[in-house]
Amino acid sequence: MTTLKIDDYIFEPYIDRLKISERTQVLANEMAQAEFDKKPVFLVIMTGAYVFAADLLRLLDFTCEVRFIRVKSYAGMQSTGHFQIESDRLENLEDRNIIILEDIVDTGRTITKIKEVLATKNPKTIQICSLLSKPSAHLSPIDIQYLGFEIPDEFVIGYGLDYNDQGRNLPDIWKVKP
Ligand code: IMP
């Protein structure tokens, strides 16, 4: 089987680009039905969600606003639990329908923190759209309205996701070999 070596880790193919694009289209269709009249604000969490966001947002056939926010929480393969939201892009969210676009929900700390911060801006609704989720790693129940794939608690790269800033450009998703 093809493998990929990044630093000390070997990765193997996991979710291919065709599966990702089929699933992304399904999510776009679901959104078109649910969000069509709502002019949502998409908050894209940088950096990992940039590829997913670019593909998903171009499939939407309704008016929306797109903003980018940066949250840093990972060092290597460990979620650090320390967060920085580096953005002045959280203004004028009162009464808006917000959809957070994430690459992956792991422990759920990041998304929970972002939701807490957003709630102080008095939006009408806050929803989550994530390409991937690791339910067995969630620290508390997390409602994900639009989810690409549930995966086991394994480290993945590609399609925007990185290991030490490498692998984001891979068109498919790869998982670390035990
Ligand atoms: P959480 O706060 O533990 O849910 O972590 C969320 C963030 O950690 C994601 O936005 C990713 O940037 C990063 N992350 C979590 N799991 C992975 C993974 O398997 N590969 C790459 N990045 C990951």
Side-chain angles (χ1 to χ4, degrees), residues 73-74 79 83 102-111 134 154-157 161-162:
S73 72
Y74 247 68
S79 184
F83 298 94
E102 250 294 28
D103 53 354
I104 187 163
V105 179
D106 182 11
T107 62
R109 285 199 191 103
T110 308
I111 210 80
K134 302 177 186 172
E154 291 171 321
F155 196 83
V156 292
I157 57 164
L161 292 126
D162 74 308

Side-chain angles (χ1 to χ4, degrees), residues 17-30:
R17 64 198 81 180
L18 183 63
K19 262 202 193 138
I20 298 171
S21 74
E22 285 171 355
R23 187 69 196 132
T24 306
Q25 182 66 65
V26 170
L27 295 179
N29 295 347
E30 286 174 16

Side-chain angles (χ1 to χ4, degrees), residues 83-153:
F83 298 94
Q84 282 174 299
I85 300 182
E86 310 167 353
S87 177
D88 54 357
R89 306 288 292 142
L90 302 180
E91 302 309 319
N92 303 319
L93 291 173
E94 295 82 18
D95 218 26
R96 303 295 306 272
N97 295 295
I98 299 174
I99 302 179
I100 304 167
L101 273 194
E102 250 294 28
D103 53 354
I104 187 163
V105 179
D106 182 11
T107 62
R109 285 199 191 103
T110 308
I111 210 80
T112 303
K113 182 72 189 171
I114 294 171
K115 278 186 86 174
E116 267 173 39
V117 173
L118 289 177
T120 66
K121 309 288 174 188
N122 301 316
K124 189 188 255 173
T125 59
I126 305 174
Q127 293 186 303
I128 299 170
C129 171
S130 184
L131 174 66
L132 302 168
S133 171
K134 302 177 186 172
S136 59
H138 295 180
L139 296 174
S140 53
I142 297 163
D143 235 2
I144 304 176
Q145 284 71 27
Y146 300 102
L147 175 62
F149 303 93
E150 277 191 355
I151 63 169
D153 191 3

Side-chain angles (χ1 to χ4, degrees), residues 11-44:
F11 292 84
E12 59 189 20
Y14 190 31
I15 306 175
D16 69 43
R17 64 198 81 180
L18 183 63
K19 262 202 193 138
I20 298 171
S21 74
E22 285 171 355
R23 187 69 196 132
T24 306
Q25 182 66 65
V26 170
L27 295 179
N29 295 347
E30 286 174 16
M31 282 185 183
Q33 293 189 349
E35 315 293 336
F36 191 80
D37 290 328
K38 296 185 188 157
K39 276 202 196 166
V41 185
F42 283 92
L43 288 187
V44 182

